[in-house]
Amino acid sequence: MNVLLIGSGGREHALAWRLAQSPGCTKLFAAPGNPGIAEHADLVLLDVADHAAVLDFCREQAIGLVVIGPEAPLVDGLADSLRADGVPVFGPGKAAAQLEGSKGFTKDLCASARIPTAGYVRVTDRAEALARLNAFPLPVVIKADGLAAGKGVTVAMSRDEAERAIGEIFDGGGEAVIEEFMDGEEVSLFVLTDGTALMPFGTAQDHKRVGDGDTGPNTGGMGAYSPAPVLTPALEQRAIDEIVAPTVAAMATAGTPFSGVLYAGLMLTADGPKLIEYNARFGDPECQVLMMRYRGDLLALLLAVAEGRLGEQPAPDFSGDTALTVVMAAHGYPGAPDKGGTIGGIARAEATGARVFQAGTALQDGALVASGGRVLAITAVATTIAAAQQAAYAAVAQIDFPSGFNRSDIGWREVARQAE
Ligand code: AMP
Ligand code: GLY
């Protein structure tokens, strides 16, 4: 079968690498892809906002499955346009992608389905926001509604900071959610669903802050590891029963079933797991560590999700090892990154046994250069997290990327716990 993968990040490089290994994958295309993805797929220049053009391509190339990696085309309804024409798609339609696209939508769904999450109010103008703010103790969380690539959230330690965050949101003419602060450790749970059946698909912990020791501004993710033992099997079951299953059921009841991967960002509080947010896609860089551990036939599994046959599938085959990935970003990230910096040493890094997934890279006169914020995800697998961390950093040391930087402590919480 021919497959079309939409996206160009490290997540899509990891998906392309695994899809290309599936026996049923005849030809893999990626739009737009990147130089790393090009090792596994034919890159095609398609405007993914032009649904008719994507459909034409699918017909011309007899595409049997479209896998949508990033959130923007999901929220834009690309999956609906393709499904309406009979093309199987991995990824939710526009209505279901609101679980990621609108924080207000998700909070309202949690309230009506009694899903544990932070208390909140939705506000639509500055005066209302400032008035409602008083009812919340500090710290308080202020979120812009809509997609913000991890950057639309302020955990305000003072009223001043909260009022400034509210000011910035409404200067842009937006909507906001004010939330109660939840204390605990964060963990990510991935669940495949075809709208009815559920299949837990691994856990991970991400490092969202740009600096060592979880300091500095939020990013899309500077590193991750999987599995995340802090989400014990009992807590995972609780999160599925109390959070994910009622969400999938509510979406189906509303006539907008969610089909794809539901990525639940959870806070492990003293009262149990609570939902921080949903994403309607795999995490980046969490996908890189999941794909390093997944040993099954990815194409067959994603196709089963797309065709509503997930309930017939056996439990997914993951290695019991730990995978850890270190993101190398261009200086300036998460602000405006330096572009054009040269990248070398990928072959040397992979010779150590690690895998280098590419994100913001481009070829310039035959040389690999940085073209975005997050540039590489250096990923290793080992029997313990400490060994995986050591292996990933040994591979990072082989990379020659003078205009880049990385955190030096990915996995620190779990490494410390395992050393106890
Ligand atoms: P989000 O974009 O909703 O994932 O929020 C980004 C980050 O802000 C999360 O990963 C958390 O670290 C933090 N955060 C969001 N909401 C809360 C909350 N209610 N309580 C504590 N931290 C939060
Ligand atoms: N790494 C966080 C995300 O993909 O949203």
Side-chain angles (χ1 to χ4, degrees):
M1 157 182 305
N2 293 344
V3 178
L4 172 62
L5 172 66
I6 307 285
S8 65
R11 164 183 50 214
E12 287 78 22
H13 189 179
L15 291 172
W17 170 63
R18 294 295 286 117
L19 283 169
Q21 290 171 50
S22 282
C25 187
T26 314
K27 197 154 188 196
L28 179 63
F29 296 93
N34 68 33
I37 294 172
E39 289 164 23
H40 315 287
D42 285 4
L43 304 192
V44 284
L45 271 181
L46 277 176
D47 175 5
V48 297
D50 183 349
H51 298 183
V54 179
L55 264 172
D56 283 345
F57 179 84
C58 290
R59 279 196 219 99
E60 278 160 26
Q61 299 294 338
I63 297 295
L65 178 69
V66 178
V67 177
I68 303 180
E71 58 274 24
L74 295 170
V75 169
D76 185 42
L78 178 60
D80 302 298
S81 303
L82 293 168
R83 279 194 192 105
D85 224 55
V87 180
V89 187
F90 179 80
K94 184 176 190 151
Q98 281 189 91
L99 282 175
E100 171 160 6
S102 167
K103 297 192 188 287
F105 172 86
T106 299
K107 296 301 284 190
D108 288 352
L109 181 138
C110 287
S112 63
R114 298 176 192 277
I115 291 168
T117 187
Y120 73 105
V121 292
R122 289 177 80 164
V123 285
T124 51
D125 69 61
R126 184 197 303 248
E128 184 191 10
L130 294 177
R132 302 296 296 267
L133 180 62
N134 289 323
F136 287 82
L138 291 172
V140 60
V141 183
I142 313 289
K143 299 184 176 182
D145 211 341
L147 292 182
K151 293 171 200 159
V153 176
T154 303
V155 178
M157 306 307 290
S158 69
R159 303 256 158 228
D160 265 6
E161 199 185 342
E163 287 175 13
R164 236 176 300 130
I166 287 169
E168 276 164 26
I169 290 170
F170 291 108
D171 281 349
E175 271 191 46
V177 174
I178 305 177
E179 268 185 35
E180 162 201 3
F181 176 80
M182 296 185 287
D183 201 15
E185 194 164 333
E186 288 183 57
V187 66
S188 304
L189 171 63
F190 296 87
V191 180
L192 298 180
T193 173
D194 56 8
T196 314
L198 300 181
M199 176 189 281
F201 198 68
T203 60
Q205 242 172 340
D206 184 16
H207 298 60
K208 288 207 168 101
R209 302 296 191 112
V210 75
D212 281 358
D214 295 329
T215 55
N218 258 324
T219 70
M222 294 300 293
Y225 60 91
S226 172
V230 67
L231 192 68
T232 60
L235 285 174
E236 177 176 329
Q237 193 57 52
R238 216 174 136 184
I240 292 191
D241 293 344
E242 296 177 9
I243 299 174
V244 178
T247 301
V248 169
M251 295 305 287
T253 303
T256 53
F258 184 100
S259 168
V261 59
L262 196 52
Y263 156 3
L266 304 173
M267 190 71 85
L268 300 180
T269 74
D271 301 328
K274 293 190 181 181
L275 182 70
I276 302 171
E277 62 155 2
Y278 276 128
N279 294 303
R281 50 166 177 87
F282 282 113
D284 187 342
E286 292 91 330
C287 188
Q288 289 86 315
V289 284
L290 289 178
M291 290 303 127
M292 288 292 269
R293 294 183 49 231
Y294 181 63
R295 295 185 291 211
D297 181 338
L298 186 65
L299 172 54
L301 183 59
L302 301 191
L303 189 65
V305 172
E307 295 182 340
R309 296 183 283 102
L310 186 62
E312 302 160 17
Q313 303 298 309
D317 179 15
F318 281 103
S319 108
D321 291 344
T322 295
L324 184 141
T325 190
V326 177
V327 168
M328 299 187 81
H331 283 304
Y333 181 75
D338 285 353
K339 290 189 183 168
T342 55
I343 301 160
I346 289 182
R348 276 198 313 274
E350 291 199 326
T352 67
R355 195 153 271 290
V356 178
F357 295 114
Q358 297 185 31
T361 62
L363 285 174
Q364 215 170 62
D365 304 325
L368 192 68
V369 299
S371 67
R374 293 187 294 171
V375 176
L376 304 173
I378 320 290
T379 315
V381 183
T383 50
T384 65
I385 185 162
Q389 186 191 51
Q390 209 165 28
Y393 280 106
V396 168
Q398 298 301 318
I399 299 285
D400 183 18
F401 178 26
S403 66
F405 71 98
N406 56 271
R407 277 183 60 161
S408 65
D409 63 348
I410 299 303
W412 66 273
R413 271 201 187 82
E414 194 57 33
V415 171
R417 260 197 294 263
Q418 302 285 324
E420 269 170 19

